[in-house]
mmCIF file of all heavy atoms in Angstrom:
data_model
loop_
_atom_site.group_PDB
_atom_site.id
_atom_site.type_symbol
_atom_site.label_atom_id
_atom_site.label_comp_id
_atom_site.label_asym_id
_atom_site.label_seq_id
_atom_site.Cartn_x
_atom_site.Cartn_y
_atom_site.Cartn_z
ATOM 1 N N PRO A 1 19.714 7.986 -14.315
ATOM 2 C CA PRO A 1 18.953 6.780 -13.988
ATOM 3 C C PRO A 1 19.596 6.041 -12.827
ATOM 4 O O PRO A 1 20.768 6.268 -12.497
ATOM 5 C CB PRO A 1 19.006 5.970 -15.286
ATOM 6 C CG PRO A 1 20.195 6.476 -16.013
ATOM 7 C CD PRO A 1 20.314 7.939 -15.679
ATOM 8 N N PRO A 2 18.874 5.179 -12.175
ATOM 9 C CA PRO A 2 19.444 4.433 -11.050
ATOM 10 C C PRO A 2 20.681 3.654 -11.464
ATOM 11 O O PRO A 2 20.866 3.291 -12.623
ATOM 12 C CB PRO A 2 18.309 3.498 -10.624
ATOM 13 C CG PRO A 2 17.078 4.109 -11.179
ATOM 14 C CD PRO A 2 17.474 4.820 -12.424
ATOM 15 N N SER A 3 21.515 3.407 -10.489
ATOM 16 C CA SER A 3 22.754 2.678 -10.759
ATOM 17 C C SER A 3 22.450 1.249 -11.183
ATOM 18 O O SER A 3 21.406 0.683 -10.851
ATOM 19 C CB SER A 3 23.633 2.670 -9.507
ATOM 20 O OG SER A 3 22.960 2.023 -8.450
ATOM 21 N N THR A 4 23.381 0.681 -11.904
ATOM 22 C CA THR A 4 23.195 -0.675 -12.441
ATOM 23 C C THR A 4 23.776 -1.736 -11.518
ATOM 24 O O THR A 4 24.173 -2.807 -11.970
ATOM 25 C CB THR A 4 23.877 -0.764 -13.815
ATOM 26 O OG1 THR A 4 25.265 -0.406 -13.659
ATOM 27 C CG2 THR A 4 23.197 0.169 -14.806
ATOM 28 N N GLU A 5 23.807 -1.440 -10.227
ATOM 29 C CA GLU A 5 24.305 -2.431 -9.276
ATOM 30 C C GLU A 5 23.332 -3.617 -9.223
ATOM 31 O O GLU A 5 22.130 -3.449 -9.389
ATOM 32 C CB GLU A 5 24.437 -1.805 -7.887
ATOM 33 C CG GLU A 5 25.421 -0.642 -7.844
ATOM 34 C CD GLU A 5 25.482 -0.028 -6.463
ATOM 35 O OE1 GLU A 5 24.786 -0.552 -5.563
ATOM 36 O OE2 GLU A 5 26.204 0.958 -6.286
ATOM 37 N N PRO A 6 23.849 -4.836 -9.024
ATOM 38 C CA PRO A 6 22.958 -6.003 -8.975
ATOM 39 C C PRO A 6 21.992 -5.901 -7.809
ATOM 40 O O PRO A 6 22.382 -5.621 -6.673
ATOM 41 C CB PRO A 6 23.925 -7.185 -8.810
ATOM 42 C CG PRO A 6 25.179 -6.572 -8.256
ATOM 43 C CD PRO A 6 25.262 -5.185 -8.823
ATOM 44 N N LEU A 7 20.711 -6.094 -8.090
ATOM 45 C CA LEU A 7 19.686 -5.988 -7.060
ATOM 46 C C LEU A 7 19.602 -7.281 -6.269
ATOM 47 O O LEU A 7 19.769 -8.378 -6.810
ATOM 48 C CB LEU A 7 18.342 -5.679 -7.712
ATOM 49 C CG LEU A 7 18.280 -4.376 -8.521
ATOM 50 C CD1 LEU A 7 16.909 -4.212 -9.156
ATOM 51 C CD2 LEU A 7 18.604 -3.179 -7.654
ATOM 52 N N GLN A 8 19.351 -7.153 -4.986
ATOM 53 C CA GLN A 8 19.268 -8.305 -4.088
ATOM 54 C C GLN A 8 17.849 -8.421 -3.542
ATOM 55 O O GLN A 8 17.255 -7.445 -3.092
ATOM 56 C CB GLN A 8 20.249 -8.148 -2.916
ATOM 57 C CG GLN A 8 21.711 -8.121 -3.350
ATOM 58 C CD GLN A 8 22.634 -7.994 -2.155
ATOM 59 O OE1 GLN A 8 22.182 -7.925 -1.016
ATOM 60 N NE2 GLN A 8 23.924 -7.981 -2.406
ATOM 61 N N LEU A 9 17.335 -9.634 -3.590
ATOM 62 C CA LEU A 9 16.023 -9.899 -3.018
ATOM 63 C C LEU A 9 16.150 -10.080 -1.508
ATOM 64 O O LEU A 9 17.233 -10.401 -0.994
ATOM 65 C CB LEU A 9 15.405 -11.150 -3.654
ATOM 66 C CG LEU A 9 15.067 -11.038 -5.137
ATOM 67 C CD1 LEU A 9 14.543 -12.374 -5.646
ATOM 68 C CD2 LEU A 9 14.059 -9.929 -5.389
ATOM 69 N N PRO A 10 15.063 -9.883 -0.758
ATOM 70 C CA PRO A 10 15.136 -10.033 0.703
ATOM 71 C C PRO A 10 15.536 -11.448 1.103
ATOM 72 O O PRO A 10 15.118 -12.439 0.498
ATOM 73 C CB PRO A 10 13.711 -9.705 1.166
ATOM 74 C CG PRO A 10 13.122 -8.897 0.067
ATOM 75 C CD PRO A 10 13.741 -9.421 -1.200
ATOM 76 N N LYS A 11 16.337 -11.541 2.156
ATOM 77 C CA LYS A 11 16.754 -12.815 2.715
ATOM 78 C C LYS A 11 15.778 -13.230 3.825
ATOM 79 O O LYS A 11 15.017 -12.405 4.345
ATOM 80 C CB LYS A 11 18.167 -12.708 3.259
ATOM 81 C CG LYS A 11 19.211 -12.348 2.208
ATOM 82 C CD LYS A 11 20.587 -12.220 2.841
ATOM 83 C CE LYS A 11 21.634 -11.832 1.810
ATOM 84 N NZ LYS A 11 22.977 -11.662 2.414
ATOM 85 N N PRO A 12 15.795 -14.497 4.216
ATOM 86 C CA PRO A 12 14.876 -14.933 5.289
ATOM 87 C C PRO A 12 15.076 -14.183 6.595
ATOM 88 O O PRO A 12 14.121 -14.026 7.366
ATOM 89 C CB PRO A 12 15.186 -16.429 5.441
ATOM 90 C CG PRO A 12 15.727 -16.824 4.108
ATOM 91 C CD PRO A 12 16.485 -15.637 3.589
ATOM 92 N N THR A 13 16.291 -13.707 6.854
ATOM 93 C CA THR A 13 16.544 -13.009 8.107
ATOM 94 C C THR A 13 16.296 -11.506 8.007
ATOM 95 O O THR A 13 16.458 -10.792 9.005
ATOM 96 C CB THR A 13 17.999 -13.244 8.538
ATOM 97 O OG1 THR A 13 18.879 -12.848 7.476
ATOM 98 C CG2 THR A 13 18.225 -14.706 8.871
ATOM 99 N N ASP A 14 15.910 -11.014 6.834
ATOM 100 C CA ASP A 14 15.625 -9.588 6.675
ATOM 101 C C ASP A 14 14.231 -9.280 7.205
ATOM 102 O O ASP A 14 13.334 -10.123 7.212
ATOM 103 C CB ASP A 14 15.719 -9.173 5.203
ATOM 104 C CG ASP A 14 17.144 -9.236 4.694
ATOM 105 O OD1 ASP A 14 18.078 -9.171 5.523
ATOM 106 O OD2 ASP A 14 17.336 -9.353 3.467
ATOM 107 N N HIS A 15 14.056 -8.034 7.612
ATOM 108 C CA HIS A 15 12.757 -7.591 8.086
ATOM 109 C C HIS A 15 11.805 -7.412 6.900
ATOM 110 O O HIS A 15 12.216 -6.997 5.817
ATOM 111 C CB HIS A 15 12.883 -6.275 8.858
ATOM 112 C CG HIS A 15 13.498 -6.439 10.212
ATOM 113 N ND1 HIS A 15 14.860 -6.379 10.433
ATOM 114 C CD2 HIS A 15 12.931 -6.672 11.424
ATOM 115 C CE1 HIS A 15 15.115 -6.560 11.720
ATOM 116 N NE2 HIS A 15 13.963 -6.743 12.347
ATOM 117 N N VAL A 16 10.543 -7.718 7.143
ATOM 118 C CA VAL A 16 9.545 -7.568 6.085
ATOM 119 C C VAL A 16 9.336 -6.101 5.752
ATOM 120 O O VAL A 16 9.199 -5.723 4.584
ATOM 121 C CB VAL A 16 8.213 -8.226 6.512
ATOM 122 C CG1 VAL A 16 7.145 -8.026 5.447
ATOM 123 C CG2 VAL A 16 8.415 -9.705 6.793
ATOM 124 N N PHE A 17 9.343 -5.251 6.788
ATOM 125 C CA PHE A 17 9.188 -3.806 6.596
ATOM 126 C C PHE A 17 10.386 -3.102 7.220
ATOM 127 O O PHE A 17 10.327 -2.656 8.378
ATOM 128 C CB PHE A 17 7.883 -3.319 7.229
ATOM 129 C CG PHE A 17 6.656 -3.972 6.673
ATOM 130 C CD1 PHE A 17 6.008 -4.972 7.378
ATOM 131 C CD2 PHE A 17 6.153 -3.604 5.437
ATOM 132 C CE1 PHE A 17 4.880 -5.584 6.868
ATOM 133 C CE2 PHE A 17 5.020 -4.217 4.913
ATOM 134 C CZ PHE A 17 4.388 -5.211 5.626
ATOM 135 N N PRO A 18 11.485 -2.990 6.473
ATOM 136 C CA PRO A 18 12.690 -2.392 7.053
ATOM 137 C C PRO A 18 12.621 -0.885 7.199
ATOM 138 O O PRO A 18 13.350 -0.303 8.001
ATOM 139 C CB PRO A 18 13.783 -2.791 6.051
ATOM 140 C CG PRO A 18 13.056 -2.953 4.758
ATOM 141 C CD PRO A 18 11.695 -3.470 5.107
ATOM 142 N N GLY A 19 11.778 -0.226 6.437
ATOM 143 C CA GLY A 19 11.729 1.227 6.476
ATOM 144 C C GLY A 19 10.659 1.751 7.418
ATOM 145 O O GLY A 19 9.835 1.020 7.957
ATOM 146 N N ASN A 20 10.693 3.061 7.613
ATOM 147 C CA ASN A 20 9.695 3.749 8.429
ATOM 148 C C ASN A 20 8.989 4.764 7.538
ATOM 149 O O ASN A 20 9.595 5.716 7.060
ATOM 150 C CB ASN A 20 10.374 4.457 9.614
ATOM 151 C CG ASN A 20 9.378 5.032 10.587
ATOM 152 O OD1 ASN A 20 8.183 5.057 10.325
ATOM 153 N ND2 ASN A 20 9.862 5.505 11.724
ATOM 154 N N HIS A 21 7.702 4.566 7.320
ATOM 155 C CA HIS A 21 6.955 5.399 6.373
ATOM 156 C C HIS A 21 5.854 6.188 7.078
ATOM 157 O O HIS A 21 4.792 6.418 6.505
ATOM 158 C CB HIS A 21 6.341 4.519 5.276
ATOM 159 C CG HIS A 21 7.288 3.496 4.735
ATOM 160 N ND1 HIS A 21 8.420 3.824 4.025
ATOM 161 C CD2 HIS A 21 7.296 2.139 4.811
ATOM 162 C CE1 HIS A 21 9.067 2.724 3.671
ATOM 163 N NE2 HIS A 21 8.399 1.691 4.152
ATOM 164 N N ILE A 22 6.101 6.606 8.315
ATOM 165 C CA ILE A 22 5.058 7.284 9.082
ATOM 166 C C ILE A 22 4.715 8.631 8.453
ATOM 167 O O ILE A 22 3.538 8.991 8.337
ATOM 168 C CB ILE A 22 5.515 7.453 10.546
ATOM 169 C CG1 ILE A 22 5.666 6.079 11.214
ATOM 170 C CG2 ILE A 22 4.520 8.314 11.319
ATOM 171 C CD1 ILE A 22 6.139 6.147 12.636
ATOM 172 N N LYS A 23 5.730 9.393 8.045
ATOM 173 C CA LYS A 23 5.466 10.715 7.473
ATOM 174 C C LYS A 23 4.652 10.600 6.181
ATOM 175 O O LYS A 23 3.704 11.358 5.962
ATOM 176 C CB LYS A 23 6.787 11.442 7.212
ATOM 177 C CG LYS A 23 7.526 11.849 8.480
ATOM 178 C CD LYS A 23 8.783 12.641 8.151
ATOM 179 C CE LYS A 23 9.507 13.088 9.419
ATOM 180 N NZ LYS A 23 10.744 13.856 9.104
ATOM 181 N N MET A 24 5.010 9.651 5.333
ATOM 182 C CA MET A 24 4.270 9.472 4.092
ATOM 183 C C MET A 24 2.850 8.993 4.382
ATOM 184 O O MET A 24 1.884 9.445 3.740
ATOM 185 C CB MET A 24 4.996 8.459 3.195
ATOM 186 C CG MET A 24 4.375 8.287 1.814
ATOM 187 S SD MET A 24 5.192 6.990 0.851
ATOM 188 C CE MET A 24 6.864 7.631 0.753
ATOM 189 N N PHE A 25 2.694 8.119 5.357
ATOM 190 C CA PHE A 25 1.374 7.614 5.714
ATOM 191 C C PHE A 25 0.480 8.740 6.226
ATOM 192 O O PHE A 25 -0.692 8.863 5.826
ATOM 193 C CB PHE A 25 1.524 6.509 6.769
ATOM 194 C CG PHE A 25 0.235 5.865 7.179
ATOM 195 C CD1 PHE A 25 -0.556 5.197 6.255
ATOM 196 C CD2 PHE A 25 -0.204 5.924 8.490
ATOM 197 C CE1 PHE A 25 -1.752 4.600 6.632
ATOM 198 C CE2 PHE A 25 -1.389 5.325 8.869
ATOM 199 C CZ PHE A 25 -2.155 4.671 7.938
ATOM 200 N N ASN A 26 1.010 9.590 7.100
ATOM 201 C CA ASN A 26 0.228 10.707 7.623
ATOM 202 C C ASN A 26 -0.097 11.711 6.518
ATOM 203 O O ASN A 26 -1.194 12.290 6.503
ATOM 204 C CB ASN A 26 0.982 11.399 8.752
ATOM 205 C CG ASN A 26 1.058 10.546 10.010
ATOM 206 O OD1 ASN A 26 0.180 9.731 10.267
ATOM 207 N ND2 ASN A 26 2.104 10.732 10.786
ATOM 208 N N ALA A 27 0.849 11.925 5.604
ATOM 209 C CA ALA A 27 0.597 12.872 4.514
ATOM 210 C C ALA A 27 -0.518 12.370 3.601
ATOM 211 O O ALA A 27 -1.386 13.152 3.172
ATOM 212 C CB ALA A 27 1.877 13.100 3.719
ATOM 213 N N LEU A 28 -0.529 11.083 3.299
ATOM 214 C CA LEU A 28 -1.576 10.540 2.439
ATOM 215 C C LEU A 28 -2.938 10.546 3.146
ATOM 216 O O LEU A 28 -3.972 10.784 2.498
ATOM 217 C CB LEU A 28 -1.218 9.119 2.006
ATOM 218 C CG LEU A 28 -0.006 9.001 1.067
ATOM 219 C CD1 LEU A 28 0.276 7.545 0.750
ATOM 220 C CD2 LEU A 28 -0.243 9.786 -0.205
ATOM 221 N N MET A 29 -2.959 10.299 4.453
ATOM 222 C CA MET A 29 -4.227 10.382 5.172
ATOM 223 C C MET A 29 -4.736 11.818 5.200
ATOM 224 O O MET A 29 -5.946 12.060 5.101
ATOM 225 C CB MET A 29 -4.067 9.846 6.594
ATOM 226 C CG MET A 29 -4.016 8.333 6.684
ATOM 227 S SD MET A 29 -4.315 7.727 8.366
ATOM 228 C CE MET A 29 -2.942 8.473 9.236
ATOM 229 N N GLY A 30 -3.809 12.778 5.344
ATOM 230 C CA GLY A 30 -4.235 14.167 5.292
ATOM 231 C C GLY A 30 -4.750 14.570 3.922
ATOM 232 O O GLY A 30 -5.699 15.358 3.809
ATOM 233 N N ARG A 31 -4.140 14.012 2.877
ATOM 234 C CA ARG A 31 -4.592 14.319 1.523
ATOM 235 C C ARG A 31 -6.010 13.794 1.289
ATOM 236 O O ARG A 31 -6.821 14.440 0.614
ATOM 237 C CB ARG A 31 -3.629 13.711 0.504
ATOM 238 C CG ARG A 31 -3.961 14.021 -0.936
ATOM 239 C CD ARG A 31 -3.032 13.267 -1.879
ATOM 240 N NE ARG A 31 -1.623 13.547 -1.597
ATOM 241 C CZ ARG A 31 -0.617 12.955 -2.244
ATOM 242 N NH1 ARG A 31 -0.875 12.046 -3.184
ATOM 243 N NH2 ARG A 31 0.628 13.242 -1.926
#
């Protein structure tokens, strides 16, 4: 199971979309 490290919520200076999901987006459109 995932580690039990304390989870942190986004801070005001964090990016709203920090990740890049282009491959997943293209795969779902192809599906």
